[in-house]
Amino acid sequence: GLYRGTIATILREVPAYGAQFLAYESLKDYFLNHKKSFDYFEKFIAGGFAGIACWMASYPQDIIKTKLQVDMMSNKSNPQYSSHSKIIRDGGFIQCAKQIYRLEGVQGYWRGFSACLIRAFYANACGFIAYEQARGILFNTEEAKKQP
């Protein structure tokens, strides 16, 4: 149905973006308090490490979510994973997590992580620079007036 996979997505997104914004705001505060500036380089560093924090907090959930999505697409009439119980309607999340652990061990949750981190660092670094620029323009901050 329409909401199939929602639980897996929520279990990934909540810790991911909590960690991302916590890391970004913490590094931003650090730079502003210790260096008294937050220029492009510092935004780049803070955004990049925020991206790493995001994926460190959510990569295992993403692996499970992806396996569930593939299963839903390839086995529509007879999905491999089902809800843990009638009480816990998890869309197969727990069953899939157990199978990954049984077949691959802990390493199964982290396949492809290094490639993800490389992409995440640069994508989030650029994303947070754009975020700060847009924020400065929209709210007409002093920092935006100084930028070219």
Side-chain angles (χ1 to χ4, degrees), residues 44-108:
F44 185 84
I45 296 299
F49 280 106
I52 289 173
C54 172
W55 284 104
M56 286 181 75
S58 66
Y59 198 76
Q61 300 94 298
D62 189 63
I63 292 288
I64 296 166
K65 179 196 67 71
T66 301
K67 284 186 180 283
L68 289 171
Q69 287 175 328
V70 168
D71 182 53
M72 285 181 231
M73 296 304 292
S74 60
N75 301 317
K76 287 183 182 180
S77 61
N78 188 22
Q80 181 178 357
Y81 308 107
S82 59
S83 288
H84 185 65
S85 71
K86 292 185 189 273
I87 297 170
I88 302 172
R89 307 292 297 170
D90 68 344
F93 194 89
I94 294 171
Q95 187 181 12
C96 183
K98 286 180 177 180
Q99 183 181 25
I100 292 169
Y101 185 76
R102 188 173 59 250
L103 297 176
E104 305 175 54
V106 175
Q107 308 90 292

